[in-house]
Amino acid sequence: MDEELLCPHCGVEIPADSRFCPHCGEQLAFEEKLTCPHCGAEVPTGSRFCPHCGGALEEGAEPARPKPERVKRSGIREQIKTKGFSNWALDTLGSIRLTIPLLVILTIAAAIGGIVPQAPITPNADLLYHSYGSFWYNIIKFFLLDDVFHSWWFLTFIGFFAVNLVICTARRLRRSVRLLSTPLRPLSQVSGEGAEASFQGKGLEEAREAARHVLKRRHLRFREEGEQLFGERWHWSRLGPDLIHIGILIILVGGLLGIFRFSGYISLNETELGKVFPPCSAEQRTDCIKNADFSIRVDSFRAERYPNSMMYKGYWTTLTVIDNGKEVKTKEIRVNDPLTYKGITFYQTNYGDDLGAAEATIAVEARKSGKSLGEFKVKVGEKFQIPGSEEWVKFSHFFTSFVFGKDGPVNVNTPTPQNPAAILQLYKGTGDLAKSDYADIVFANFPETHLNQDKPYKFYLKDYFVPKLDGINYSHNPGYPVVWWGFVVMLVGLFAAFYLAPKRTWVVLDPQGERVLVQGERRLSWGGQRALRGIAEEIERELKKGG
């Protein structure tokens, strides 16, 4: 079993190579030694004089910090028996040993979700999986890799990660709050580290006043006790790691709230301007707004092309919100500039031709005699009877730019009609219109092109009108604002942890040596030591200025 240490201060198990307890922050010592009150050096137990400075140790010698006890990690059964099941479960679920494998698994899962096309957003995904071969197809289906982020195993790992993060955050936050509430105290002993400034030829009060000015100029909130001035800057930034944890938790909560999201789509053409879309109800489930208690009216819409180009520059739609019979809000929306009301956001989605509402004038002519049998104005889906016969003609489809694709006729989106065409279906009698006798295609640009040269009638596309279509998506996701706030909290925590490290400074006045000692926390970096030297130099300049 792994050998570990037991902290003598808080009793928590810690890694064997620790010099400071990662839970309570206390320094650990592995040898029984004393601390010299004169120079601060460690000396062996039983010494009467310090081997470093020669000072007497009869008085003021402090015992070394207690030695941590070496322990061996016990098995799970022994841990449960010693701690109790609830405490053992909390320690296990909040352990870093669980955090690391969870993060590895979630990272791998996210990578798989980015590589394997996800079925909910990939057209013909199942056909794509079959192209990988039967082995990989079965693997994808068995492990739900076609929808990783909604699979039961991914959500289970997310749940464990959330529990682990909650426990870790609660424990760490408790220690951080305790540390923040503990006031900064004067140094019990002065080490040789740090920087110093001389106030030789100046009075003690002059040195004290110079130190005050420098600390104020550096925005340090300091206190004075005896011959020491001490303070700290960015005290709150000790919460940086805790804010990062809390931000991640908020993001997870926002993702969970996404379960309650919904979305929909409404559209109309230019002949329907002023149309009101009411809230959906049991009686009306289309052309309505889901889960809303207000209505939306489309007042107008327009599009604008780039100069000397057929490409559209943008689309705009003017919407009016009607709540309790009153117009409460009007806004012209465009792409990336939606309208939001009561948590539901309306987006400008598309603009184009409403082929399903097209109107056309169809001329009919007898093929043998060339006699005109009339012109008929119809809309898509409507039908008319050929005079003097039992045959009916249904206007089934219209295309502004017709082409033959791999799977049949296709309409190509172009700014202006390139090849207008209509598909007509002919039926005999008034029977079942689901079974047509034959079909014909008529072209505006190629009037003499007909599919059926042996049929008794010829058809011509004389005129047509295609209204413009305006499409609007709407959605509501209660998790969006929560996720954004989570990112804000996490970014504040990251900024505090990496750029606003707390800086503790002690200025010790030594009247006997006529010097000012500037001390910082232990294990200062090169930048921290440089900052202490900067304070000492500023104090010296302040003293010279005062002289």
Side-chain angles (χ1 to χ4, degrees), residues 137-360:
Y137 177 83
N138 293 330
I139 290 292
I140 289 172
K141 288 298 183 181
F142 182 79
F143 290 104
L144 304 177
L145 302 183
D146 56 340
D147 193 9
V148 169
F149 303 110
H150 297 93
S151 63
W152 64 266
W153 57 267
F154 182 81
L155 295 177
T156 299
F157 284 122
I158 285 287
F160 275 114
F161 179 67
V163 172
N164 176 266
L165 198 58
V166 167
I167 296 173
C168 291
T169 302
R171 288 177 172 176
R172 183 182 176 86
L173 189 61
R174 186 171 64 248
R175 291 195 297 269
S176 298
V177 171
R178 185 170 64 245
L179 184 61
L180 286 175
S181 60
T182 302
L184 190 61
R185 301 182 183 280
L187 292 175
S188 58
Q189 61 184 29
V190 180
S191 67
E193 298 179 356
E196 66 176 70
S198 172
F199 62 90
Q200 194 169 11
K202 304 287 184 179
L204 180 63
E205 289 306 316
E206 290 182 77
R208 188 191 304 275
E209 191 62 30
R212 287 172 182 162
H213 285 171
V214 172
L215 294 180
K216 286 180 181 178
R217 192 158 51 238
R218 288 181 171 258
H219 305 290
L220 279 167
R221 298 177 62 184
F222 63 92
R223 295 190 298 119
E224 298 183 36
E225 190 170 321
E227 304 304 327
Q228 293 190 33
L229 295 84
F230 48 92
E232 184 175 15
R233 189 181 182 189
W234 306 122
H235 185 53
W236 66 273
S237 66
R238 296 182 185 276
L239 291 174
D242 305 285
L243 292 176
I244 296 172
H245 288 183
I246 293 172
I248 296 174
L249 280 175
I250 294 174
I251 292 172
L252 290 177
V253 171
L256 183 63
L257 290 175
I259 296 173
F260 303 101
R261 68 183 183 275
F262 63 85
S263 61
Y265 177 77
I266 56 176
S267 64
L268 78 167
N269 61 54
E270 58 189 305
T271 65
E272 301 173 301
L273 290 178
K275 182 177 179 178
V276 176
F277 295 89
C280 291
S281 62
E283 296 77 21
Q284 183 174 357
R285 297 186 178 276
T286 59
D287 285 346
C288 57
I289 313 298
K290 300 177 186 177
N291 303 320
D293 58 357
F294 59 90
S295 303
I296 288 290
R297 187 181 71 217
V298 180
D299 297 326
S300 63
F301 61 87
R302 61 188 177 89
E304 182 180 329
R305 292 190 176 99
Y306 287 104
N308 302 319
S309 172
M310 299 304 292
M311 298 297 294
Y312 283 109
K313 181 179 180 180
Y315 319 119
W316 294 265
T317 300
T318 302
L319 301 178
T320 296
V321 179
I322 302 174
D323 197 350
N324 291 325
K326 297 180 180 179
E327 298 180 4
V328 296
K329 189 174 185 179
T330 298
K331 180 178 179 179
E332 186 177 63
I333 66 171
R334 60 175 299 173
V335 177
N336 297 327
D337 185 18
L339 163 70
T340 300
Y341 185 75
K342 290 188 174 179
I344 302 179
T345 303
F346 296 84
Y347 303 90
Q348 178 70 58
T349 305
N350 62 304
Y351 177 88
D353 296 318
D354 189 359
L355 300 178
E359 295 181 2

Side-chain angles (χ1 to χ4, degrees), residues 56-164:
L57 299 178
E58 285 80 357
E59 297 180 2
E62 297 181 359
R65 296 177 181 273
K67 182 180 179 181
E69 178 185 353
R70 294 191 176 276
V71 296
K72 287 189 175 182
R73 174 171 289 277
S74 56
I76 294 178
R77 290 184 179 179
E78 290 78 3
Q79 292 182 44
I80 295 176
K81 186 176 180 180
T82 304
K83 300 179 180 179
F85 179 78
S86 59
N87 289 332
W88 171 83
L90 284 174
D91 288 344
T92 302
L93 291 174
S95 170
I96 190 68
R97 291 185 177 87
L98 178 62
T99 306
I100 293 175
L102 283 175
L103 287 175
V104 171
I105 292 172
L106 291 175
T107 301
I108 294 174
I112 293 173
I115 295 172
V116 178
Q118 300 296 284
I121 58 174
T122 305
N124 302 318
D126 209 52
L127 295 176
L128 186 61
Y129 303 146
H130 275 295
S131 69
Y132 298 157
S134 60
F135 174 78
W136 288 109
Y137 177 83
N138 293 330
I139 290 292
I140 289 172
K141 288 298 183 181
F142 182 79
F143 290 104
L144 304 177
L145 302 183
D146 56 340
D147 193 9
V148 169
F149 303 110
H150 297 93
S151 63
W152 64 266
W153 57 267
F154 182 81
L155 295 177
T156 299
F157 284 122
I158 285 287
F160 275 114
F161 179 67
V163 172
N164 176 266

Side-chain angles (χ1 to χ4, degrees), residues 17 280 320 430 448 498:
D17 58 350
C280 291
T320 296
T430 58
E448 294 303 327
F498 289 100

